[in-house]
Amino acid sequence: MEESNGFPVVRVVPLADRINQRSEAERAAHKQCGVAALRPDLRRQPRFKIEVDIRIRSRTCGTLKGRSVDISESGIAAILPIEAPLGENVELNFTLPSGPLTIHAIVRQRNAFRYGFEFVDSESVHEVIRRTCRDFAMDQSLGLA
């Protein structure tokens, strides 16, 4: 550790620089592996790209239509043209490769028009999501994704 006038010198790295460095490293790792999962090292479960129409039923906003971005065992992200209230319990309707699915979720995050939904449904519905994510992971490892 460096010292100046008997006091330790602390080097401050701007948060934006740290984020940019991490993002560049993540991009390089994903590009090298050809991975469709997004940021698996920072998430509870890996995310997989899925672009399908999604319908959100909200008690306060009625029915909203959007487009999914990615999915994991714990939730799904979607682009919505209309604001959805954070913290609200909603019903999601979308189609997986195995067929249509209706699942309940909580609106957890918003970044501009991108929303994150955390699944809160029954174990049987979660099993459908788990199987789908396992299939996506298998496709990805075989280079089919």
Side-chain angles (χ1 to χ4, degrees):
M1 178 176 278
E2 298 177 6
E3 288 193 16
S4 175
N5 297 332
F7 295 100
V9 174
V10 177
R11 303 250 180 247
V12 177
V13 178
L15 180 59
D17 289 351
R18 292 193 318 234
I19 291 170
N20 289 336
Q21 289 169 356
R22 182 180 67 209
S23 297
E24 289 169 11
E26 287 173 0
R27 281 194 297 273
H30 288 293
K31 186 176 180 181
Q32 184 179 42
C33 298
V35 177
L38 304 176
R39 306 174 112 191
D41 54 324
L42 302 177
R43 306 279 178 187
R44 287 181 285 170
Q45 292 100 15
R47 293 180 177 204
F48 302 95
K49 185 175 181 176
I50 182 171
E51 294 180 357
V52 296
D53 290 333
I54 188 168
R55 191 176 67 227
I56 297 97
R57 284 206 176 115
S58 160
R59 279 178 291 200
T60 59
C61 299
T63 300
L64 308 171
K65 293 181 180 180
R67 188 89 175 149
S68 68
V69 177
D70 57 46
I71 191 169
S72 74
E73 288 186 26
S74 59
I76 192 166
I79 303 295
L80 303 179
I82 299 172
E83 189 171 326
L86 293 176
E88 184 173 9
N89 194 325
V90 296
E91 180 183 270
L92 306 176
N93 294 282
F94 55 96
T95 302
L96 294 173
S98 60
L101 181 70
T102 298
I103 190 166
H104 289 92
I106 296 174
V107 184
R108 289 291 186 202
Q109 300 175 348
R110 185 182 97 199
N111 185 356
F113 295 102
R114 181 183 171 124
Y115 286 82
F117 299 91
E118 180 183 2
F119 299 136
V120 293
D121 229 319
S122 68
E123 189 60 31
S124 61
V125 178
H126 268 121
E127 184 54 34
V128 173
I129 300 290
R130 272 192 289 278
R131 263 187 275 129
T132 299
C133 289
R134 280 194 301 262
D135 290 347
F136 285 158
M138 182 64 75
D139 290 350
Q140 176 181 303
S141 70
L142 295 174
L144 302 175

